[in-house]
Amino acid sequence: MTALMTGLDVRDRLVVLVGGGDVTARRAARLRDAGAVLRIVAPRLSDTMVGLLDRLAEETDSSGRVPAVTWIPRRYRESDLDGAWLIHTATGVDVVDAEVAAAADRLRIWCVDAGHAPDGSARLAAQATEDSVDGVTLGVVSTGTPDPRRVVKVRDRLQEMLDTSALPTAPVRPPAGRVVLLGGGPGPRDLMTVRARRVLQSADVIVHDRLGPTGFPGWVSDRVEIIDVGKAPGRHPVPQEEINRILVDRAQRGLTVARLKGGDCFVFGRGGEEVLACRAAGVPVEVVPGVSSVIAAPQSAGVPLTHRGTADTVHIVNGHRLPGPATLEALHDDATTVVVLMGTSMLPSFAAAALDAGVTPERPVAVVERAHRADQRCVRGTLGTIGEVAEAERVRNPAVIVIGENAREGLLDAALVEQFATVTTVATVEEVAV
Ligand code: SAH
């Protein structure tokens, strides 16, 4: 075949799939993700297909009424193709597939024949992107004898190039201004999402803080304007209203503004306020999630937030204040892991307040400083000892404090812990004094 590669918008359009095996299941899932209405014709369904139909049964089409998927449980008849925009056949029986393809031709409906002797008028591309990236989608179609493994090889390479931003997918026509809030993760570049990196590399302006990925100016374009709004020694941070003003101002000049933050923007990151400021000014705003220190800092010290048999609840709290009733309740509960951010300066009084409220002094505590940085450190103790231990050890921000049974040393295999982190253990106050 010679192929004219086209992009089909199948949203709310009927696609008929003949066959009920795993190939059909894969294709049906893709077509449904693209918004197509599906009619499946097959006397029997494979287990995968049954699972898929169960999942899809919950869904409806975009108008919310018509079932988006129907199954006709019998052998195929030509009338099943009525109203289709596209046909897919994979019955496992070559003559049936050929029959469907021939009927499709007569009816002038494009047909993908996924059988062994493909005879269809169309082929589905192996897509490198599930959805579009920067408004483009990339895929590979073979034109000669089908060679799925070759197609997948090329597709994978394209995917890799997209992930490393090696393909110039950014729009050439200047887009209208917008703001993208980026969760940058806990520091290292490879703990930032691919999507966040892609936005950074296509941004005109980057507004960043003290926490979050360092060293990014080295790998973004030279012409990008970089604005540091974070605290630095001897300098006050830029007030939030001023940050909001900068974001809106640059976007209104038609620029793409990347607002880069540590961790995730919606975890003590004032991301919500920035979204509201942009909305109020009529500036389009998006949010890219990031790996929060809530998860990444404990992880780096080998502390899981939940663990079968020890903790099944997580409580996250701002440690600038003394623990309130909900936090005290969480601290009392053996099965809750309490994660305290911004809590190092208040740690002794935070622990004292918990003890006063009757929480057991034996509750394990791990303080993870500068997680995922070269000078990372983990200081351990219990609620009864941690105030003094932290002072003696001069624990400083940024640090995440984990309180709960999961913070107990040796919960996970020691080898695993060491692989991720240098762990300094301070078990008791006496040990520190020695
Ligand atoms: N939005 C961020 C949190 C901002 S609040 C996130 O999702 O991670 C700032 C607090 O985050 C710090 O006081 C500290 O408690 C924690 N923090 C951020 N980065 C950290 C890191 N690399 N190591 C330890 N704690 C960190």
Side-chain angles (χ1 to χ4, degrees), residues 77-416:
R77 288 180 203 147
E78 190 168 327
S79 59
D80 295 332
L81 308 181
D82 282 353
W85 288 77
L86 181 67
I87 293 163
H88 184 276
T89 183
T91 60
V93 184
D94 291 346
V95 286
V96 179
D97 288 334
E99 196 187 315
V100 175
D105 256 6
R106 273 198 305 284
L107 296 164
R108 302 183 176 213
I109 306 171
W110 297 109
C111 178
V112 179
D113 179 353
H116 292 114
D119 206 12
S121 52
R123 285 184 192 177
L124 276 191
Q127 265 174 251
T129 48
E130 283 164 32
D131 207 345
S132 60
V133 169
D134 292 335
V136 298
T137 188
L138 295 171
V140 186
V141 168
S142 64
T143 49
T145 315
D147 185 352
R149 274 193 301 195
R150 176 180 53 171
V151 166
V152 163
K153 224 162 84 184
V154 181
R155 191 271 316 271
D156 288 350
R157 182 77 182 100
L158 274 175
Q159 214 159 35
E160 223 175 272
M161 289 167 86
L162 273 175
D163 289 349
T164 54
S165 305
L167 289 170
T169 51
V172 172
R173 201 184 316 150
R178 63 184 182 129
V179 172
V180 190
L181 306 189
L182 303 179
R189 177 183 169 175
D190 57 0
L191 285 179
M192 184 189 276
T193 65
V194 171
R195 190 184 301 180
R197 210 161 61 204
R198 194 181 289 134
V199 172
L200 269 189
Q201 289 179 329
S202 65
D204 303 302
V205 185
I206 298 173
V207 180
H208 73 103
D209 299 319
R210 187 177 47 99
L211 289 174
T214 46
F216 66 86
W219 43 273
V220 298
S221 133
D222 287 344
R223 51 159 190 85
V224 68
E225 179 190 11
I226 296 179
I227 306 174
D228 179 0
V229 292
K231 280 186 218 158
R235 188 161 72 72
H236 285 298
V238 177
Q240 188 62 46
E241 295 69 35
E242 177 63 9
I243 297 175
N244 296 352
R245 203 194 56 73
I246 293 171
L247 300 180
V248 167
D249 168 74
R250 296 300 194 283
Q252 283 176 337
R253 291 192 220 166
L255 303 172
T256 295
V257 186
R259 171 72 175 110
L260 178 63
K261 292 163 187 276
D264 182 88
C265 302
F266 282 178
V267 179
F268 302 127
R270 307 194 73 169
E273 291 162 65
E274 293 172 5
V275 167
L276 289 174
C278 291
R279 292 250 160 94
V283 165
V285 56
E286 286 163 51
V287 182
V288 176
V291 177
S292 175
S293 62
V294 166
I295 296 166
Q299 173 279 323
S300 70
V303 178
L305 293 189
T306 68
H307 188 59
R308 190 178 273 273
T310 45
D312 61 4
T313 306
V314 182
H315 179 91
I316 301 162
V317 62
N318 174 351
H320 267 153
R321 286 183 289 277
L322 288 177
T327 301
L328 289 175
E329 200 179 314
L331 288 165
H332 270 292
D333 181 13
D334 291 347
T336 296
T337 305
V338 174
V339 184
V340 187
L341 267 66
M342 299 179 281
T344 44
S345 54
M346 287 282 283
L347 182 54
S349 32
F350 190 98
L355 296 172
D356 281 351
V359 178
T360 168
E362 300 307 317
R363 186 76 79 222
V365 181
V367 185
V368 191
E369 276 179 290
R370 297 179 299 278
H372 293 283
R373 317 243 162 135
D375 55 352
Q376 155 173 335
R377 177 171 75 143
C378 176
V379 174
R380 289 185 198 251
T382 63
L383 210 50
T385 65
I386 198 66
E388 288 178 53
V389 167
E391 252 170 27
E393 285 288 305
R394 298 179 183 284
V395 165
R396 293 284 172 270
N397 258 329
V400 168
I401 302 158
V402 197
I403 309 170
E405 294 310 308
N406 281 3
R408 189 181 298 283
E409 202 186 357
L411 178 78
L412 299 184
D413 177 30
L416 178 70

